[in-house]
Amino acid sequence: MAQNNQSPEQDLNQLIKVRHDKLKDLQDNGKDPFQITKYEVTKHSQEIKDHFDELEGQTVSIAGRMMFKRVMGKASFCNVQDLQGNIQAYVARDNIGEESYKDFKKYDVGDILGIKGEVFKTKTGEMSIHAQQVILLSKSLQILPEKYHGLTDTDARYRQRYVDLIMNSEVKDTFIKRSKVLSSIRRFLDGQGFMEVETPMLVSNAGGAAARPFETHFNALNEDLKLRISLELYLKRLIVGGMERVYEIGRVFRNEGLDTRHNPEFTLMELYQAYTDYYGMMDLTENLYRYVAKEVTGSEILTYGEHQMDLSKPFERITMVDAVKKYANVDFNEISNTEEAKKLADEHHIEYEDRHKKGDILNLFFEEYVEDHLIQPTFVMDHPIEISPLTKKKPENPEYVERFEFFMNGWEMANAYSELNDPIDQRERFEAQEALLAAGDDEANHTDEDFLNALNIGMPPTGGIGYGIDRMVMMMTNSPAIRDVLLFPTMKTLGKESQ
């Protein structure tokens, strides 16, 4: 018995060569599929199934990728996958013609076909199309992964998202839902009188958040610029200009690490509303999340992993001090200065830096002891001033500010303030940030003189909030990692893994 001594790679190369030969044969016979410029699609697969009773016996045209083919002499079956799903086609020589049927038998899984025919049900009850015409719209020259195992290598899935979308229907569903999340957010905010705007991505001063920016050089002006890390400072300028309710959904860029919840470029939404405060932002957030969940999932109960989060009930509201007291049994109301706070941190084996003050230590306790417990929707309020350089102080307790972070599933989902609109106070906060920068904190903010000028013009009392859209999509789709909700996540360039 002859043995096949070819490697899998040689076998694959041979299969690819066969496809190229088929294409050349088509081209030599004046049937080059790449010369076809359009095809009229009248129905999609799920649409046909949903409306079968009224479409039975009607002629439709569908187009999609052939995922399966079974040739049985003078008649064959194939399965075509389109945006909505897949549908079977019955292809018979007597219906499409001898020459077309001869061509069809040479088509490969992965080829893109246009099929025109009558909607019917097979003897086994499967909704199908009885083909009257089959046209090859594009020739696939690469081999798709084996159907039943699919594209299972995670790294390959992220690098070749186009193949992932073909082979894994649940992946396509995730990104359809992502689009629904964005459109439902826009519908909700537009209904609340907000205006969607766009602000610069290339900026001279990347402020509004504690993060390390990406830096670049603009040749035309011979200036160093940065990619924005936040949307905040430009949107506040618009509030100064009299646009009372504004929002932006856009990419921001932070030169930081990669993990299941972080990607260096991600989608952020920030909105600002004049004449309200952080309590107004809490009410808006509750209503927004309920609306989006209902629109995208059909329910106000979200399931993520082993947890169920109930958005129908009022979201819990707790101060950061009370949260630390509840989960760490430490009361920072009894801590009078930074020295006592550091001593407490030492006792609890919490690492800190020399520059850290009492408020920083409180936040470290919160991160260590509290975050993982915040499964149900929770607003953690009244952060220390040290970690909130753009936020209004609480008049009755100026060590703390009118800020909240919104948590679900132990994750921070949003960050909101009663915005600082005192230009004198804001300059002092910027000066403190500059001191941190000089001390080696490369996430601290630079002073933004134009923003200070805007505040000097006068900004009304304003509530503002930033939402991590990717994490929201993760929650709405039960996706385990941020890369699962980014069509093209950041990956190390192939060939550089060992460098």
Side-chain angles (χ1 to χ4, degrees):
M1 181 183 291
Q3 290 187 338
N4 180 8
N5 294 319
Q6 288 187 307
S7 68
E9 186 176 344
Q10 288 173 317
D11 288 341
L12 183 62
N13 289 338
Q14 183 61 36
L15 290 171
I16 291 172
K17 182 181 182 303
V18 168
R19 294 196 176 205
H20 279 267
D21 291 343
K22 287 181 180 180
L23 174 62
K24 186 175 186 308
D25 185 57
L26 287 165
Q27 291 169 333
D28 289 345
N29 287 282
K31 299 176 181 178
D32 186 352
F34 300 123
Q35 295 294 317
I36 296 174
T37 58
K38 66 178 182 178
Y39 183 82
E40 184 181 0
V41 175
T42 63
K43 297 293 178 187
H44 283 80
S45 57
Q46 193 59 44
E47 190 180 2
I48 293 169
K49 294 175 182 178
D50 290 343
H51 301 280
F52 178 80
D53 290 343
E54 58 197 80
L55 290 174
E56 186 175 15
Q58 300 293 315
T59 298
V60 298
S61 295
I62 66 160
R65 191 177 300 276
M66 184 166 65
M67 300 300 292
F68 169 79
K69 184 177 76 168
R70 184 169 78 246
V71 176
M72 304 180 301
K74 298 177 184 179
S76 301
F77 286 96
C78 70
N79 193 287
V80 174
Q81 178 175 293
D82 62 15
L83 174 67
Q84 295 181 354
N86 59 76
I87 192 164
Q88 178 177 268
Y90 173 70
V91 183
R93 184 192 67 183
D94 293 345
N95 291 97
I96 69 169
E98 191 166 340
E99 186 176 350
S100 290
Y101 190 66
K102 183 179 177 183
D103 289 340
F104 171 78
K105 290 197 292 183
K106 295 178 182 177
Y107 296 161
D108 294 300
V109 167
D111 288 350
I112 296 175
L113 306 180
I115 298 179
K116 182 178 181 180
E118 217 174 82
V119 175
F120 82 112
K121 227 177 230 184
T122 64
K123 291 178 182 178
T124 59
E126 184 166 355
M127 299 176 197
S128 307
I129 296 171
H130 196 305
Q132 300 162 353
Q133 180 189 65
V134 179
I135 297 175
L136 179 64
L137 301 175
S138 183
K139 181 69 186 167
S140 174
L141 300 175
Q142 183 57 275
I143 311 298
L144 289 175
E146 198 271 324
K147 178 181 176 182
Y148 294 101
H149 296 98
L151 186 65
T152 54
D153 179 81
T154 303
D155 190 73
R157 285 182 54 220
Y158 296 144
R159 291 185 189 279
Q160 298 181 33
R161 182 67 84 187
Y162 42 92
V163 181
D164 192 24
L165 290 165
I166 294 167
M167 301 306 300
N168 298 313
S169 60
E170 69 278 5
V171 172
K172 185 184 291 183
D173 183 58
T174 292
F175 289 104
I176 290 172
K177 284 183 177 175
R178 182 186 177 103
S179 179
K180 288 181 178 178
V181 167
L182 292 168
S183 60
S184 62
I185 288 171
R186 288 186 166 102
R187 273 194 302 276
F188 177 84
L189 292 177
D190 294 347
Q192 298 290 316
F194 281 84
M195 179 191 304
E196 184 172 11
V197 298
E198 294 175 306
T199 61
M201 290 190 182
L202 282 172
V203 295
S204 57
N205 186 352
R212 184 186 297 115
F214 287 93
E215 298 182 1
T216 187
H217 185 78
F218 183 26
N219 293 331
L221 295 180
N222 193 28
E223 282 188 8
D224 290 332
L225 294 174
K226 300 176 177 68
L227 289 171
R228 66 185 181 187
I229 60 172
S230 168
L231 313 174
E232 180 168 348
L233 300 185
Y234 280 98
L235 291 176
K236 285 183 179 177
R237 287 168 167 90
L238 300 181
I239 295 291
V240 171
M243 293 183 171
E244 294 183 1
R245 298 186 182 203
V246 294
Y247 74 97
E248 181 174 7
I249 300 173
R251 283 293 175 110
V252 296
F253 309 86
R254 299 182 181 180
N255 197 353
E256 298 171 346
L258 292 160
D259 61 31
T260 56
R261 279 184 276 164
H262 295 89
N263 195 71
E265 58 173 313
F266 62 97
T267 302
L268 181 66
M269 180 179 76
E270 292 195 31
L271 64 85
Y272 293 85
Q273 178 180 340
Y275 311 114
T276 190
D277 61 4
Y278 73 146
Y279 288 106
M281 293 296 101
M282 288 185 213
D283 294 339
L284 185 146
T285 298
E286 282 201 37
N287 294 330
L288 172 66
Y289 257 81
R290 288 188 189 117
Y291 180 88
V292 174
K294 191 80 172 173
E295 287 272 303
V296 175
T297 72
S299 172
E300 293 178 352
I301 309 294
L302 291 180
T303 299
Y304 189 89
E306 62 186 19
H307 299 302
Q308 280 198 332
M309 286 143 290
D310 189 349
L311 305 183
S312 67
K313 300 174 182 176
F315 296 3
E316 182 182 358
R317 302 182 180 192
I318 187 171
T319 67
M320 183 177 280
V321 169
D322 286 345
V324 169
K325 184 177 179 180
K326 178 178 179 179
Y327 292 105
N329 200 29
V330 172
D331 188 354
F332 267 76
N333 285 327
E334 297 177 356
I335 307 300
S336 57
N337 55 48
T338 296
E339 288 69 30
E340 289 182 20
K342 287 184 174 179
K343 182 180 178 183
L344 199 63
D346 291 335
E347 292 171 1
H348 286 78
H349 308 291
I350 289 179
E351 295 183 8
Y352 56 86
E353 298 176 26
D354 289 341
R355 62 182 175 82
H356 282 156
K357 297 180 180 177
K358 174 187 169 183
D360 299 296
I361 305 294
L362 168 62
N363 187 53
L364 292 172
F365 267 85
F366 173 78
E367 292 173 351
E368 178 69 25
Y369 286 99
V370 180
E371 286 189 0
D372 290 345
H373 295 283
L374 305 179
I375 303 302
Q376 295 304 314
T378 304
F379 295 119
V380 177
M381 307 158 51
D382 302 349
H383 292 52
I385 192 170
E386 291 90 342
I387 62 169
S388 311
L390 298 164
T391 316
K392 271 193 174 182
K393 298 174 186 174
K394 292 182 69 64
E396 71 278 11
N397 189 355
E399 287 187 14
Y400 297 91
V401 297
E402 293 191 352
R403 172 185 175 186
F404 73 80
E405 290 175 300
F406 172 47
F407 281 84
M408 283 174 62
N409 193 50
W411 303 353
E412 180 199 336
M413 305 297 293
N415 185 25
Y417 311 151
S418 295
E419 301 297 336
L420 180 60
N421 62 342
D422 177 346
I424 298 169
D425 188 354
Q426 182 63 80
R427 182 172 289 279
E428 291 172 356
R429 307 271 192 104
F430 274 139
E431 288 172 355
Q433 288 286 299
E434 293 282 4
L436 290 174
L437 205 63
D441 183 357
D442 55 7
E443 294 186 349
N445 285 195
H446 283 284
T447 301
D448 189 325
E449 290 293 345
D450 182 71
F451 177 66
L452 288 170
N453 184 58
L455 290 187
N456 275 300
I457 297 291
M459 186 174 88
T462 298
I465 187 165
Y467 297 90
I469 296 299
D470 305 305
R471 290 187 188 180
M472 180 189 280
V473 175
M474 288 173 68
M475 203 70 68
M476 299 285 173
T477 59
N478 196 14
S479 297
I482 192 170
R483 289 181 175 187
D484 295 317
V485 300
L486 299 174
L487 279 167
F488 300 102
T490 302
M491 305 287 289
K492 189 159 188 173
T493 304
L494 284 172
K496 294 187 176 182
E497 287 82 350
S498 61
Q499 294 180 16

